[in-house]
Amino acid sequence: MARAIWTGVITFGLVTMPVGLYTATEGHTVHFHQLQRGTSDRIRNKRVNERTGDEVGTRDIVKGFEIDEGQYVVVEPDELDEIAPGRSRSIDITDFVDLDRIEPVYFDRTYYIAPRGKEYTKIYELLRAALAEADKVGIATFVMRNKQYLTALRAEDKVLVLQTLHWADEVRDPLQELPELPSGRAGRGKQLDMALQLVDALSSDWDPSRYHDTYQEKVRELVRAKAEGLEIAAAEEPPEATNVIDLMKVLEGSLQAARSGRDAKEPATEGKGRAASRKAAARSTAGNAKTPAHKAPPRKAGAARARSSGTGGKRELQKLSKAELYQRATEQDLPGRSKMSREELVEALARSGRRRKKTAA
């Protein structure tokens, strides 16, 4: 059972609830000891008086703020406790804001919040449900270990989560800090269309268990191999940067590889017609691979599949990816297509198909 690293109360309005704060994550980094080369002697850090060279005990160490060279204002730990805001150990929610309005760069560490006592679980669930229903987060400040934190309290499925935030003056302006940034937005064109198709081909549901810290695994393999007197193969060199001149060709090759990988992983329970359509598109792309790069039209496989689905049929349209639906919408010059979701593109294309049939009749 985890132990609370902080206890206090959450207040919102006139409601007060005793809670505990618990660490939500744990690291799995491989830790090494420091040794003197050629020996098994541990190297340890000591707190040493730089003038006398004598080791100093923890109780004899105080904090000092340098106001001039060699001149310090000494502050005792209990003095910091006296002036610390929120001495009542409370998390006071002052505002509720939309979660998507907080830029990701502001988020820091994540903690779980739990009620301290069964009698407070009703208040706890009431706050969690209200935040979830409103899709809001509670903004609050609190003090822990002589430091004040700006926080966002948000609702998960069964638990309240507290995320510490960086203060506004701690977040750097990328326009001032970064040496090279694009001077403008990417314009609509073949390269962006191809990139959208690649994103769609590589899209999947979020499943954190699919991802592993392969670097730490290799560190452990290195340790085991060295302990057994084995050699370790050198890591592969990083890939070279893409030549901008060959960008279209690289995008096209990436899309073909992504679609091939998706077909290979496609569940057997999926409709045979859709799988066959994808394979036909892949064969069509492969057949056109001999065409010179500057003549090969982008999205050829997707376009062929889109055309093969006919003029109308909402059911047929639903078999296409969003990128392929967008391509058809572009070909038909449907207004507002850039802001449509996948389902909205299906509806708009289906309506367009019905109008074309009526006109033809």
Side-chain angles (χ1 to χ4, degrees):
M1 185 71 67
R3 295 179 58 184
I5 63 171
W6 179 93
T7 57
V9 297
I10 288 179
T11 65
F12 57 106
L14 299 178
V15 180
T16 300
M17 173 178 57
V19 298
L21 190 68
Y22 298 81
T23 303
T25 60
E26 60 181 357
H28 56 211
T29 302
V30 177
H31 295 283
F32 293 93
H33 293 299
Q34 291 182 321
L35 307 175
Q36 183 175 356
R37 187 182 298 279
T39 74
S40 296
D41 300 338
R42 290 275 302 274
I43 303 300
R44 298 184 183 274
N45 296 322
K46 294 183 179 181
R47 295 177 174 87
V48 176
N49 183 315
E50 68 174 15
R51 180 178 59 82
T52 66
D54 297 332
E55 187 174 354
V56 181
T58 304
R59 292 184 178 181
D60 294 325
I61 296 177
V62 295
K63 296 181 182 293
F65 184 85
E66 189 172 23
I67 57 175
D68 201 353
E69 186 175 355
Q71 295 184 3
Y72 297 88
V73 172
V74 175
V75 179
E76 298 287 346
D78 57 349
E79 293 177 313
L80 290 173
D81 293 337
E82 288 292 328
I83 58 92
R87 286 185 59 207
S88 59
R89 302 183 68 82
S90 64
I91 299 174
D92 299 316
I93 300 176
T94 57
D95 305 282
F96 292 96
V97 303
D98 294 332
L99 177 59
D100 60 6
R101 299 295 295 174
I102 304 176
E103 298 175 15
V105 69
Y106 282 91
F107 290 102
D108 189 12
R109 300 197 65 179
T110 304
Y111 299 90
Y112 292 137
I113 291 284
R116 286 193 293 132
K118 290 186 178 180
E119 63 269 32
Y120 302 111
T121 55
K122 184 176 181 180
I123 303 176
Y124 181 91
E125 172 55 22
L126 180 66
L127 177 57
R128 190 209 64 79
L131 290 174
E133 183 72 20
D135 197 20
K136 300 275 188 180
V137 295
I139 303 299
T141 59
F142 83 111
V143 174
M144 180 173 64
R145 297 169 183 166
N146 293 323
K147 182 177 179 180
Q148 187 174 28
Y149 293 89
L150 177 66
T151 67
L153 185 71
R154 62 181 180 83
E156 288 288 352
D157 186 31
K158 295 182 179 180
V159 68
L160 285 171
V161 171
L162 186 81
Q163 292 189 278
T164 58
L165 305 174
H166 293 290
W167 301 96
D169 59 359
E170 294 179 326
V171 178
R172 294 178 173 180
D173 183 350
L175 297 180
Q176 295 181 3
E177 300 291 337
L178 305 184
E180 297 291 343
L181 285 175
S183 57
R185 297 286 187 179
R188 174 61 58 188
K190 294 180 179 180
Q191 290 183 351
L192 181 55
D193 289 341
M194 184 69 74
L196 286 170
Q197 290 188 59
L198 179 58
V199 169
D200 181 75
L202 294 174
S203 295
S204 64
D205 293 329
W206 165 241
D207 179 8
S209 64
R210 292 173 53 200
Y211 308 96
H212 303 278
D213 188 343
T214 57
Y215 175 74
Q216 295 301 322
E217 292 172 359
K218 289 184 180 297
V219 170
R220 290 187 173 89
E221 289 176 7
L222 171 64
V223 172
R224 283 195 297 267
K226 289 182 73 67
E228 297 171 5
L230 303 177
E231 293 186 1
I232 296 294
E236 297 180 1
E237 292 293 326
E240 295 182 3
T242 299
N243 189 330
V244 178
I245 298 175
D246 300 328
L247 181 57
M248 195 67 194
K249 186 177 180 180
V250 173
L251 284 170
E252 193 169 24
S254 301
L255 182 58
Q256 292 180 20
R259 283 175 171 166
S260 298
R262 184 170 62 179
D263 287 341
K265 293 187 292 186
E266 198 164 43
T269 54
E270 189 174 358
K272 293 182 180 180
R274 183 175 178 184
S277 176
R278 282 182 175 165
K279 289 178 181 178
R283 284 195 298 270
S284 175
T285 305
N288 290 308
K290 297 178 181 179
T291 304
H294 65 281
K295 294 183 179 180
R299 311 183 312 277
K300 195 158 188 177
R305 196 171 97 182
R307 287 192 292 270
S308 69
S309 63
T311 57
K314 185 175 178 181
R315 185 178 300 175
E316 295 297 325
L317 291 169
Q318 287 175 335
K319 296 178 182 179
L320 304 180
S321 69
K322 184 178 179 180
E324 291 164 345
L325 290 167
Y326 183 83
Q327 179 187 341
R328 290 194 69 180
T330 301
E331 292 171 353
Q332 298 181 24
D333 197 25
L334 292 181
R337 58 187 178 273
S338 63
K339 297 181 179 180
M340 292 183 184
S341 66
R342 185 179 181 281
E343 291 303 317
E344 290 171 337
L345 285 168
V346 169
E347 293 291 340
L349 288 168
R351 287 196 299 270
S352 176
R354 289 194 292 269
R355 285 195 297 268
R356 289 188 177 191
K357 287 182 178 179
K358 289 181 181 179
T359 304

